Amino acid sequence: MMKLVLMALLLSLSATVPAQQAQLTLADLLIGLRSKKATLEERNAILADAVRERGITFSLSPEIEKELVATGASRGLVDAVRVRSVIAKPQPTPAPIAAPVPTPTPPDFDFYKTRADANLGKGEYSLALADYDKAVSLRTDSAVAFLDRGRTYFNLKELNKAAADLDRAIELDPNNSRAFYNRGLIFESNGELEKALLDYQKAIDLDENNEAAKAMVAKVSDLIRAREVAAKAPPPELQKPEPVKVPESLNLGNLSKANAIKMVMPSYSVVARRSNIEGIVVVEVQLDEKGDVVTAKAISGHQFLRSSAEDAARRSRFKPAMFGDVPVKGFGTITYNFSLKLSN
């Protein structure tokens, strides 16, 4: 009975050539494995014997082995194919003509600057810094390269280096609103509130739509007034102690990844992408005592970008605003920069 099955199965393979002479093709094996003329175990045994006796027309590769196993090939059949594949003599192929190797174009300023911008946007500050260093070495007159390297240093908490780069950016381009805004952040971090206020105001003078700078002017002005009031207050021993009133909410200014527990970045809408719309969107948010965003409203930016920015803001979460040890509600702004180059 086994011989009859073997003859029927082999006669179905390589029909155009006598079964006793023809080497087996991959198609022959796959057809044999799918045949219903015997059990799978019998088909594997028959095909393995045929491979050993007649040989094969192909070489075994990982892809072909995967296809054989998926069709039902046993380990014995695969091993038989592997043996015949090793000893099979491949058809000679003409030697390839070596193509000339093109000389690679060395990376330029735009290459390093673009890659650094992408890493800065993802929060990969060390990678961004390495590329900004190369970009600045290639273009020592690029104000934007110094500005963005300064922002990177700021995120790495290297405030002195950040200040030096922002000074250089302003020297190269004294009309850059973003440079004054970012230098204001450094002054504020160092406790130099008056200098910070001057830079924030200068940023607004250069760009009246700089909503982030406007928010920081309000915040720093409040801090300066509070400090002045504290300085004029009589010594504590002359004052009657009054219970500290916990404010309902605090102005947190411009919220960034440094404040965030989860900062969700907005996605480009299909309409905005097809229309090549870019730009900055400022979203005003209110936080509850846990730092969750309860409201988000875009106050500037293109209409086609506002919905994505508001949605990202609502799905973000921030560290709670604290008044002493008491968590309170907070409010502030989130600034999103939509760039088609960085989103690709």
Side-chain angles (χ1 to χ4, degrees):
M1 180 64 180
M2 188 68 169
K3 290 183 178 180
L4 293 175
V5 173
L6 172 61
M7 289 300 297
L9 186 58
L10 292 179
L11 287 173
S12 69
L13 305 180
S14 301
T16 60
V17 183
Q20 292 80 359
Q21 301 175 7
Q23 290 181 314
L24 298 180
T25 66
L26 176 60
D28 290 333
L29 296 185
L30 296 176
I31 292 170
L33 286 169
R34 296 190 183 103
S35 172
K36 303 301 182 181
K37 296 178 180 179
T39 67
L40 180 59
E41 182 179 356
E42 291 172 339
R43 295 198 298 273
N44 270 287
I46 292 168
L47 292 172
D49 289 341
V51 168
R52 284 190 284 269
E53 292 176 8
R54 293 164 53 182
I56 56 176
T57 63
F58 60 94
S59 294
L60 186 65
S61 67
E63 293 77 13
I64 292 177
E65 181 175 350
K66 182 178 181 181
E67 184 175 2
L68 285 170
V69 172
T71 311
S74 67
R75 175 49 55 189
L77 175 55
V78 172
D79 288 342
V81 172
R82 180 176 290 108
V83 170
R84 293 307 301 237
S85 176
V86 171
I87 65 175
K89 295 182 179 179
Q91 294 295 324
T93 56
I97 301 174
V101 179
T103 302
T105 302
D108 57 7
F109 170 83
D110 290 332
F111 170 84
Y112 288 119
K113 178 67 168 59
T114 300
R115 192 167 69 177
D117 291 343
N119 282 321
L120 177 59
K122 293 185 292 186
E124 299 287 351
Y125 303 125
S126 296
L127 295 177
L129 180 60
D131 279 342
Y132 281 132
D133 285 342
K134 293 186 177 74
V136 167
S137 69
L138 292 170
R139 284 273 304 275
T140 58
D141 61 344
S142 173
V144 69
F146 280 101
L147 189 161
D148 290 332
R149 189 173 73 169
R151 293 171 56 211
T152 305
Y153 275 130
F154 180 79
N155 283 291
L156 290 170
K157 310 302 181 186
E158 298 188 44
L159 299 186
N160 290 337
K161 292 181 179 179
D165 272 359
L166 268 297
D167 287 343
R168 179 59 176 158
I170 290 171
E171 179 183 342
L172 291 169
D173 183 6
N175 295 318
N176 192 317
S177 174
R178 291 175 59 235
F180 281 99
Y181 171 77
N182 282 278
R183 193 173 70 173
L185 293 175
I186 298 172
F187 283 136
E188 183 183 349
S189 296
N190 285 329
E192 300 176 87
L193 300 182
E194 286 78 7
K195 291 182 179 180
L197 182 60
L198 289 174
D199 270 359
Y200 291 144
Q201 188 58 57
K202 181 66 175 178
I204 297 171
D205 294 341
L206 293 170
D207 179 8
E208 63 180 10
N209 294 319
N210 193 331
E211 301 297 332
K214 292 178 182 179
M216 297 309 286
V217 164
K219 174 187 174 184
V220 173
S221 296
D222 288 345
L223 292 173
I224 292 175
R225 281 193 293 270
R227 189 176 62 184
E228 291 173 348
V229 169
K232 294 178 181 179
E237 62 272 16
L238 300 180
Q239 283 186 307
K240 293 181 179 180
E242 294 181 0
V244 177
K245 182 179 180 181
V246 178
E248 182 178 352
S249 62
L250 291 177
N251 183 350
L252 302 177
N254 188 48
L255 298 168
S256 66
K257 288 184 178 179
N259 310 96
I261 296 174
K262 180 179 74 172
M263 176 67 89
V264 177
M265 302 308 295
S267 58
Y268 254 105
S269 68
V270 175
V271 175
R273 186 182 294 276
R274 289 178 178 174
S275 303
N276 292 321
I277 296 172
E278 299 179 302
I280 291 175
V281 177
V282 177
V283 179
E284 192 174 74
V285 297
Q286 292 185 347
L287 312 179
D288 62 17
E289 292 86 349
K290 296 179 181 179
D292 292 326
V293 177
V294 294
T295 64
K297 176 68 176 177
I299 58 176
S300 71
H302 198 283
Q303 292 296 328
F304 286 174
L305 301 176
R306 292 191 178 196
S307 178
S308 294
E310 290 172 349
D311 179 67
R314 280 190 289 267
R315 292 188 291 119
S316 298
R317 187 182 182 191
F318 297 89
K319 299 172 185 176
M322 302 297 293
F323 185 81
D325 296 328
V326 180
V328 297
K329 297 177 181 179
F331 61 94
T333 59
I334 306 175
T335 302
Y336 295 108
N337 183 15
F338 285 80
S339 171
L340 290 169
K341 181 185 295 184
L342 295 181
S343 68
N344 291 329

